[in-house]
Amino acid sequence: MEVLRADRKFKDFNYYNLKQDNYFLLPFKFHRLKNNKEVIVNEVGDFIIVDPGTVEKIVKRQVSKEDDEDLYANLLANFFISEERISPLIDVLATRYRTKKHFLNYFTGLHIFVITLRCEHTCFYCQVSRATENKDMFDMSIENIDRGIEYMLRSPNPHVTMEFQGGEALLAFDRIKYAVEKAEVETSKVGKGLTLVVCTNLAVVNEEILQYCKEHKILISTSLDGPKHVHDHNRHKPRASSYEFATNGINLAREILGHDQVSALMTTTKYSLDYPIEIVEEYFNRGFSGIFLRNISPYGFALRTEKTKYETAKFLEFYKVALNKVLEFNLNGTYFTEDLAKIFLQKMITPFGVGYVDLQSPAGLINGVIVYNYDGSVYCTDESRMLAEQADFTFKLGTLENSYEELYFGDKAMEISEVWANEALTGCSECAFQQYCGADPVHNHATQGNMYGYRPTSDFCEKNMSVIEYLLELMDENPEIKEIFEGWVAPRTH
């Protein structure tokens, strides 16, 4: 017992002196890549890829200014070590951290209006329940549109995006017109900027609709899953080719609105997994400047059929083949991006954060996006609305009958806020890729049964970590690819 008491005595001050030899450690995390190299990442996302064993040398203060001149200089310049107890550039580091979290300054920017649940497609992986065309009881009421706009204007964000979704949004085009004209008047009164987006499969689009979109500067977002056989398989339209409707609609919309006013998204189904090259080529040949390789979301009908289910590892195989095809175009001199990689690279290479709500911490739900459903229900993300269509109302914030404060700052919002920062989640807080990733309580709940989630079995974690690691390895192994990636996130002048 006497020995135990002696061991518990306070040590001499020098025992706690963090400086050994010539530097202090600043906070950083590390990860061993598949090529056996190590990557170290600091609190603002700066990274350095180093040889095996370097992390141990850094921690043991065995990196010498004389013998490891380049490494020492990189560590010092990138806030991994400091020659003083408190770095003289600590305010610079703090400013850079604030810049990464700058999106929090503005609060909710994306306001999704589910204008109708009606749809003329019967896509087997649809993420929501859909109603047949003639059931206008599934259209958003004028009263709910008015209240949604009122709450949109309450957001402190100086520029808001009003996005119309469905069902097929254009089946309720009369409601869209009302909402657009009302929003334009009301935002001008308070001096807010306004971006308008319609999400549509383009099956019912016509020149009259597009001329209206041109007059009111409405952007078009559509779906294109790949070449004809892939798109028609994934996005079924009875007695017709959804691919023909989509591609004809894209051409007409570009002709009337302008080429860059039309964007497209793809969803990777089990069927899609066999055609990574063909899917990329479809986007390239259609004149898009890039493609977003998205895995299927675990919501709605996507969970009810074996046609859509696949392991995350299968998607990652698909993703790497498709990304390499994208890089092939770039290596041959043509600018063409992959948007998931581009989002990660923005966080890895630049000092700025991203507006993509799935990869933010604190999470983008409520902070970045809110959903006003056709029936007046309010959800914190589109995915949480999809869960509600399966009778899971965990993420329902309330209805448009509630006050703004009750919806945005009520008990449900407070409950979600406890798990929406990856800096405070076990498995994320110590992860080297924390700064590049995000928190997704809705995905955790849908796939693992609770908002907190469990990282070792999380497909969200598996996908993001694998993609980030692959990007790091590509940059380390090929300087030309690193230069291409830097070009993707650099400001473009044309």
Short mmCIF file of all heavy atoms in Angstrom, two decimals, residues 11 16 169 206 318 321 360 390 412:
data_model
loop_
_atom_site.label_atom_id
_atom_site.label_comp_id
_atom_site.label_asym_id
_atom_site.label_seq_id
_atom_site.Cartn_x
_atom_site.Cartn_y
_atom_site.Cartn_z
N LYS A 11 3.52 14.49 -9.76
CA LYS A 11 4.84 14.47 -10.37
C LYS A 11 5.41 15.89 -10.42
O LYS A 11 4.69 16.89 -10.30
CB LYS A 11 4.76 13.91 -11.80
CG LYS A 11 4.12 12.53 -11.89
CD LYS A 11 4.97 11.45 -11.26
CE LYS A 11 4.34 10.09 -11.47
NZ LYS A 11 5.12 9.00 -10.81
N TYR A 16 5.15 16.86 -16.78
CA TYR A 16 3.97 17.19 -17.58
C TYR A 16 4.29 18.14 -18.73
O TYR A 16 3.40 18.54 -19.47
CB TYR A 16 2.89 17.83 -16.69
CG TYR A 16 2.44 16.90 -15.58
CD1 TYR A 16 2.98 17.01 -14.30
CD2 TYR A 16 1.51 15.91 -15.83
CE1 TYR A 16 2.58 16.16 -13.29
CE2 TYR A 16 1.10 15.05 -14.82
CZ TYR A 16 1.63 15.18 -13.55
OH TYR A 16 1.24 14.33 -12.56
N ALA A 169 -43.76 16.62 -59.54
CA ALA A 169 -44.14 17.99 -59.18
C ALA A 169 -44.94 18.69 -60.26
O ALA A 169 -45.86 19.47 -59.98
CB ALA A 169 -42.89 18.80 -58.83
N ASN A 206 -43.65 20.48 -71.06
CA ASN A 206 -43.96 20.98 -72.39
C ASN A 206 -43.40 22.39 -72.53
O ASN A 206 -42.84 22.96 -71.58
CB ASN A 206 -45.46 20.95 -72.67
CG ASN A 206 -46.26 21.73 -71.61
OD1 ASN A 206 -45.87 22.81 -71.20
ND2 ASN A 206 -47.39 21.16 -71.19
N PHE A 318 -18.35 -0.71 -57.90
CA PHE A 318 -18.97 0.06 -58.98
C PHE A 318 -18.41 1.48 -59.03
O PHE A 318 -18.03 1.99 -60.09
CB PHE A 318 -20.49 0.07 -58.77
CG PHE A 318 -21.23 1.12 -59.55
CD1 PHE A 318 -21.71 0.84 -60.83
CD2 PHE A 318 -21.49 2.38 -59.01
CE1 PHE A 318 -22.42 1.79 -61.54
CE2 PHE A 318 -22.18 3.33 -59.72
CZ PHE A 318 -22.65 3.04 -61.00
N VAL A 321 -14.72 1.82 -60.39
CA VAL A 321 -14.64 1.64 -61.84
C VAL A 321 -15.18 2.88 -62.55
O VAL A 321 -14.57 3.40 -63.50
CB VAL A 321 -15.43 0.39 -62.28
CG1 VAL A 321 -15.49 0.30 -63.81
CG2 VAL A 321 -14.78 -0.87 -61.71
N GLN A 360 -22.33 17.21 -43.49
CA GLN A 360 -22.05 18.35 -42.63
C GLN A 360 -22.07 17.91 -41.17
O GLN A 360 -22.73 16.95 -40.80
CB GLN A 360 -23.09 19.46 -42.84
CG GLN A 360 -23.00 20.15 -44.18
CD GLN A 360 -24.07 21.22 -44.35
OE1 GLN A 360 -25.17 21.11 -43.81
NE2 GLN A 360 -23.76 22.24 -45.11
N GLN A 390 -43.51 5.35 -44.29
CA GLN A 390 -43.52 3.97 -43.79
C GLN A 390 -44.06 3.93 -42.36
O GLN A 390 -43.83 2.97 -41.63
CB GLN A 390 -42.11 3.40 -43.82
CG GLN A 390 -41.47 3.35 -45.20
CD GLN A 390 -40.00 2.98 -45.12
OE1 GLN A 390 -39.12 3.82 -45.18
NE2 GLN A 390 -39.73 1.69 -44.96
N LYS A 412 -38.33 18.06 -30.31
CA LYS A 412 -37.80 17.12 -31.30
C LYS A 412 -36.48 17.62 -31.87
O LYS A 412 -35.52 16.86 -32.02
CB LYS A 412 -38.81 16.89 -32.41
CG LYS A 412 -38.36 15.93 -33.51
CD LYS A 412 -38.04 14.54 -32.98
CE LYS A 412 -39.28 13.82 -32.51
NZ LYS A 412 -38.99 12.41 -32.14
#
